[in-house]
Amino acid sequence: MKSESRYWLVKSEPSSYSIDDLKVDKKTSWTGVRNYTARNFMRDAMKQGDPVLFYHSSCPVPGVYGIAKVVSKSYPDPTQFDPASPYYDPKATEEKPIWYLVDIGFVAKLKDPVTLDAMKKDKRLQNMTLLQRGNRLSVMEVRANEFVAIESS
DNA sequence: GCCAACGTTGGC
DNA sequence: GCCAACGTTGGC
């Protein structure tokens, strides 16, 4: 029996990694997430094939710029073991990793991004986690209807 | 560059 | 286990 997909949103600063970078790379490992809630989503809940909204943050026009999908099972984030990496975590060991990630694959770039401003004005999106006050999660779940509303707009 | 909101750390 | 201090995020 095939399980239902869940829907996700990942944030990235386009100056460090944009939807155009993902289009070129085809897929990338989502390294550097150092928040337990976001880690738990990647480690425990994100499954291969799950659709993902690709959100650009900290840029002139924040918003959803593309569609991606989960293309791997979860596995330990290798940057936690690398002393040269800004994401190095001295408390993590190969035997007892702390941080997990999934690979994200390119699906499509939106012809017109769905801007944060437009999302705030869309009645269908009022309950989105992204729009809740003070939310800073870099990986979060999206409801199916919200995903469709954004993908098809 | 400012600042509100939030997560994490560490002293007690 | 509390909570103040600190660091980070991210929109503006």
Side-chain angles (χ1 to χ4, degrees), chain A residues 110-129:
Chain A
L110 297 181
K111 280 198 283 294
D112 298 302
V114 179
T115 65
L116 178 60
D117 193 49
M119 294 166 75
K120 285 177 178 170
K121 290 174 177 159
D122 190 329
K123 290 217 163 47
R124 300 168 298 174
L125 302 178
Q126 290 314 296
N127 293 322
M128 272 191 90
T129 307

Side-chain angles (χ1 to χ4, degrees), chain A residues 30-50:
Chain A
W30 208 249
T31 56
V33 172
R34 294 295 180 266
N35 169 284
Y36 286 104
T37 304
R39 178 207 66 180
N40 292 347
F41 281 143
M42 291 202 286
R43 188 188 61 185
D44 306 329
M46 294 173 85
K47 302 299 178 194
Q48 291 184 65
D50 283 358

Side-chain angles (χ1 to χ4, degrees), chain A residues 45-95:
Chain A
M46 294 173 85
K47 302 299 178 194
Q48 291 184 65
D50 283 358
V52 177
L53 298 172
F54 198 102
Y55 181 88
H56 284 182
S57 64
S58 297
C59 59
V61 185
V64 174
Y65 279 71
I67 308 294
K69 66 180 176 184
V70 179
V71 295
S72 79
K73 295 179 176 173
S74 65
Y75 60 96
D77 180 341
T79 62
Q80 72 193 301
F81 308 126
D82 178 3
S85 167
Y87 304 120
Y88 177 60
D89 187 339
K91 295 192 291 296
T93 64
E94 305 264 359
E95 293 72 30

Side-chain angles (χ1 to χ4, degrees), chain A residues 132-148:
Chain A
Q132 303 315 307
R133 184 169 124 114
N135 176 51
R136 300 181 318 182
L137 272 183
S138 60
V139 178
M140 67 187 81
E141 189 162 13
V142 176
R143 295 172 187 82
N145 66 301
E146 294 164 348
F147 186 93
V148 172

